[in-house]
């Protein structure tokens, strides 16, 4: 791995602080957020990894069911899975609060979710749930209890696991001969194009490209047969994978197309990443200038969506509560808490909290359309948004 980007010292992204922790001046854990490119594997990853146990514990705050965009995307995919693959047994790695599995017959799905506060949600709804980390021991346990699975799905999870060899070895072990693996994660190409450097934080160990995925799965005799571009999480890719030995499924032209696009963008070359670094540094300067200008006019600025992504941005750009008064968010486990590092307060979302606000920083820029639709009144009254994607600007 060769380093191309330094985003400074950062707190652990999803560790929102309670009032008591702030009062007691709780010492937060910081790590050096550096990002590198591996010329051999074509993988892009953060260089200093935080152990999984420190991140995915019994009080993990992220809930995928909190966003309509995500639940609708899962619903659409579920229909497609039933229609096209009609699997007898589905395994979801990183099932979160069950927003995908709720679309399936309970007897046909197995959930894997190491965060116990989330695993309990699907367990209580009657889904077979393993509150454990995905590895070969768990794969063995599941196989002995349920035999092989014929569809494995994992969204925004595999990029959170450092040891990809263990991930794919375990998948390989449990997937039936004609089984299908579907992975979806933020797209590195979209991240580069949008200068979305906030896709990097301690949990996002990798931001995948097709180039990187192809390299790793080939080691396990797995093969891509289709890819789909998604709007979720600021531009994601859904990878459809089968065993190389399974010749019943034809390889869609989309695979070649995406590969071509990535090569055209020179994603296999280090130079592309060093150029990205220059864009990130420029983005920081421009965002700081916008905040400075608006604040000088004594305008009230708040944040919308206290995302893990905005933790990277605010800490990297050194924007604190003197500038951004508070965040609003709908996630119960985040609200009435404080942002890691910057200690900006997170209010429970209520429309009236926007009444005297002049500018809103789009922490959840990936839900821009959903938020704009919801906040028509704010926009009508002359309220403005600040975003750093793809270049810092006021909307
Ligand atoms: P997301 O972008 O998925 O998170 P992360 O960067 O942490 O992976 O999270 C979106 C956040 O925005 C989530 O905390 C919920 C919040 N949100 C609202 O408060 N209101 C909304 O209308 C939407 C769409 C999201």
């Amino acid at each position: 791995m060769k380093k191309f980007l330094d985003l400074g010292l950062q707190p652990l992204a999803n560790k929102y602080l309670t009032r008591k922790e702030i009062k007691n001046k709780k010492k937060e854990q910081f790590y050096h957020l550096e990002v590198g490119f591996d010329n051999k594997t074509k993988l892009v990853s953060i260089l200093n990894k935080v152990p999984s146990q420190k991140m995915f514990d019994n009080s993990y705050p992220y809930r995928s069911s909190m966003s309509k965009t995500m639940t609708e995307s899962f619903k659409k995919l579920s229909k497609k899975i039933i229609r096209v693959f009609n699997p007898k047994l589905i395994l979801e790695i990183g099932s979160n609060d069950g927003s995908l599995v709720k679309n399936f017959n309970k007897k046909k799905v197995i959930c894997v979710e190491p965060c116990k506060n989330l695993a309990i949600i699907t367990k209580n709804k009657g889904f077979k749930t393993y509150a454990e980390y995905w590895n070969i021991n768990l794969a063995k346990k599941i196989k002995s209890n349920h035999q092989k699975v014929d569809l494995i799905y994992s969204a925004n999870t595999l990029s959170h696991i450092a040891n990809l060899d263990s991930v794919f070895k375990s998948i390989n072990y449990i997937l039936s001969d004609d089984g299908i693996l579907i992975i979806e994660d933020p797209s590195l190409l979209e991240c580069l194009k949008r200068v979305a450097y906030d896709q990097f934080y301690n949990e996002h160990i990798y931001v995948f490209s097709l180039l990187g995925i192809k390299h790793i799965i080939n080691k396990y005799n797995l093969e891509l047969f289709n890819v789909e571009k998604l709007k979720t999480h600021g531009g994601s890719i859904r990878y459809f994978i089968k065993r190389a030995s399974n010749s019943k499924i034809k390889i869609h032209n989309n695979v070649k197309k995406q590969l071509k696009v990535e090569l055209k963008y020179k994603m296999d070359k280090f130079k592309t990443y060093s150029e990205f670094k220059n864009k990130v540094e420029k983005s920081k300067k421009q965002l700081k200038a916008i905040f400075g200008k608006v604040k000088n006019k004594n305008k009230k600025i708040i944040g919308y969506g206290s995302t893990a992504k905005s933790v990277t941005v605010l800490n990297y750009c050194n924007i604190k509560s003197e500038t951004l008064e508070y965040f609003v968010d709908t996630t119960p486990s985040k609200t009435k808490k404080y942002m890691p590092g910057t200690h900006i307060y997170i209010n429970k979302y209520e429309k009236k909290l926007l009444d005297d606000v002049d500018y809103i920083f789009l922490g959840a820029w990936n839900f821009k359309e959903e938020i704009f639709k919801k906040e028509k009144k704010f926009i009508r009254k002359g309220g403005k948004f600040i975003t750093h994607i793809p270049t810092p600007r006021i909307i």
Side-chain angles (χ1 to χ4, degrees):
M1 279 284 167
K2 192 170 161 194
K3 181 176 117 181
F4 65 84
L5 180 63
D6 185 341
L7 294 165
L9 279 183
Q10 292 275 352
L12 300 187
N14 267 309
K15 298 288 178 204
Y16 300 91
L17 295 129
T18 61
R19 199 177 292 273
K20 201 167 153 202
E21 285 169 336
I22 293 278
K23 208 171 132 216
N24 296 342
K25 297 200 165 54
K26 186 192 172 208
K27 229 175 130 46
E28 292 175 86
Q29 187 187 336
F30 281 79
Y31 68 102
H32 195 171
L33 180 52
E34 296 176 299
V35 192
F37 170 69
D38 187 321
N39 195 33
K40 196 171 139 233
T41 63
K42 309 297 174 201
L43 285 165
V44 162
S45 100
I46 63 167
L47 302 183
N48 305 303
K49 299 172 184 88
V50 176
S52 302
Q53 286 77 359
K54 280 212 159 153
M55 304 188 278
F56 310 113
D57 54 16
N58 303 339
S59 54
Y60 190 67
Y62 182 80
R63 300 276 304 264
S64 53
S65 67
M66 283 298 128
S67 143
K68 227 174 121 191
T69 314
M70 288 314 290
T71 51
E72 277 172 7
S73 166
F74 288 145
K75 198 170 167 186
K76 216 167 129 193
L77 172 68
S78 304
K79 280 191 185 150
K80 183 173 172 173
I81 287 179
I82 295 169
R83 193 184 68 239
V84 180
F85 304 112
N86 192 25
K88 288 193 276 297
L89 191 58
I90 302 171
L91 170 77
E92 186 179 16
I93 306 172
S95 48
N96 199 276
D97 58 0
S99 41
L100 174 97
V101 296
K102 74 169 195 208
N103 300 299
F104 292 96
N105 179 335
K106 285 191 181 79
K107 292 200 186 86
K108 286 191 167 186
V109 277
I110 302 168
C111 303
V112 170
E113 177 48 68
C115 303
K116 295 200 170 59
N117 62 314
L118 299 171
I120 194 83
I121 302 173
T122 47
K123 212 174 238 174
N124 284 346
K125 286 185 181 154
F127 290 95
K128 180 73 198 165
T129 307
Y130 291 86
E132 292 176 50
Y133 293 98
W134 177 248
N135 56 34
I136 194 71
N137 291 336
L138 180 58
K140 283 182 178 164
K141 188 154 121 188
I142 295 178
K143 194 174 169 184
S144 70
N145 290 344
H146 312 269
Q147 64 200 250
K148 285 199 173 186
V149 291
D150 40 16
L151 194 135
I152 300 178
Y153 176 70
S154 190
N156 306 306
T157 300
L158 302 190
S159 55
H160 296 54
I161 309 176
N163 189 343
L164 291 180
D165 278 304
S166 153
V167 163
F168 287 100
K169 195 172 144 196
S170 313
I171 286 174
N172 208 14
Y173 181 83
I174 203 167
L175 191 68
S176 64
D177 288 346
D178 52 1
I180 305 293
L181 165 66
I182 305 174
I183 307 172
E184 69 183 68
D185 275 285
S187 153
L188 181 61
L189 177 64
E190 295 305 319
C191 165
L192 297 176
K193 276 188 184 166
R194 289 164 206 232
V195 199
Y197 61 90
D198 50 355
Q199 288 290 8
F200 297 109
Y201 52 91
N202 57 305
E203 291 177 12
H204 283 188
I205 296 172
Y206 300 94
V207 177
F208 291 136
S209 59
L210 185 141
L211 277 165
I213 288 286
K214 192 169 176 284
H215 185 274
I216 180 93
I217 65 169
N218 282 355
K219 274 168 81 176
Y220 295 93
N221 297 320
L222 298 166
E223 181 177 52
L224 281 154
F225 67 89
N226 202 357
V227 287
E228 276 174 6
K229 284 196 264 180
L230 306 172
K231 282 191 175 154
T232 53
H233 286 290
S236 297
I237 298 186
R238 186 176 281 154
Y239 304 90
F240 292 83
I241 297 164
K242 65 175 184 70
R243 290 194 184 278
S245 57
N246 177 359
S247 54
K248 279 186 265 172
I249 300 178
K250 293 275 158 295
I251 298 173
H252 201 285
N253 206 20
N254 286 346
V255 179
K256 225 188 231 164
K257 257 205 245 154
Q258 179 65 19
L259 196 62
K260 223 168 134 186
V261 174
E262 291 191 359
L263 290 172
K264 196 169 170 222
Y265 202 86
K266 299 196 169 70
M267 284 172 70
D268 56 336
K269 303 274 187 302
F270 184 79
K271 191 164 169 265
T272 306
Y273 301 94
S274 54
E275 283 167 8
F276 175 72
K277 168 200 165 240
N278 297 337
K279 291 181 198 162
V280 173
E281 286 171 352
K282 192 170 161 200
S283 173
K284 174 182 180 171
K285 273 194 205 131
Q286 290 174 332
L287 186 68
K288 282 181 79 92
I290 290 176
F291 270 100
K293 199 174 90 190
V294 169
K295 205 62 215 169
N296 272 343
K297 288 192 207 151
N298 272 326
K299 300 290 184 194
K300 180 168 174 175
I301 315 172
I302 67 157
Y304 199 117
S306 49
T307 56
K309 291 187 285 294
S310 46
V311 172
T312 295
V313 178
L314 300 177
N315 283 282
Y316 176 58
C317 298
N318 197 22
I319 294 164
K320 299 210 165 79
S321 54
E322 298 87 63
T323 314
L324 201 159
E325 278 186 41
Y326 54 82
F327 266 91
V328 289
D329 200 290
T330 50
T331 317
S333 45
K334 292 184 181 179
T335 51
K336 297 196 184 133
K337 290 189 181 161
Y338 296 80
M339 290 291 273
T342 57
H343 300 178
I344 298 171
Y345 187 64
I346 307 162
N347 268 306
K348 178 171 178 285
Y349 172 81
E350 277 178 77
K351 253 198 164 76
K352 70 169 193 285
L353 281 174
L354 310 187
D355 282 351
D356 61 341
V357 170
D358 304 298
Y359 289 82
I360 291 176
F361 170 64
L362 267 178
W365 57 264
N366 43 319
F367 294 113
K368 189 173 119 197
E369 273 109 52
E370 188 175 334
I371 294 169
F372 279 18
K373 223 184 260 171
K374 217 159 118 186
E375 306 308 341
K376 278 197 191 112
K377 192 177 148 209
F378 171 77
I379 297 169
R380 229 183 4 251
K381 281 172 64 188
K384 299 254 184 300
F385 287 89
I386 299 174
T387 187
H388 61 294
I389 300 291
T391 44
R393 66 206 159 106
I394 293 170
I395 313 176

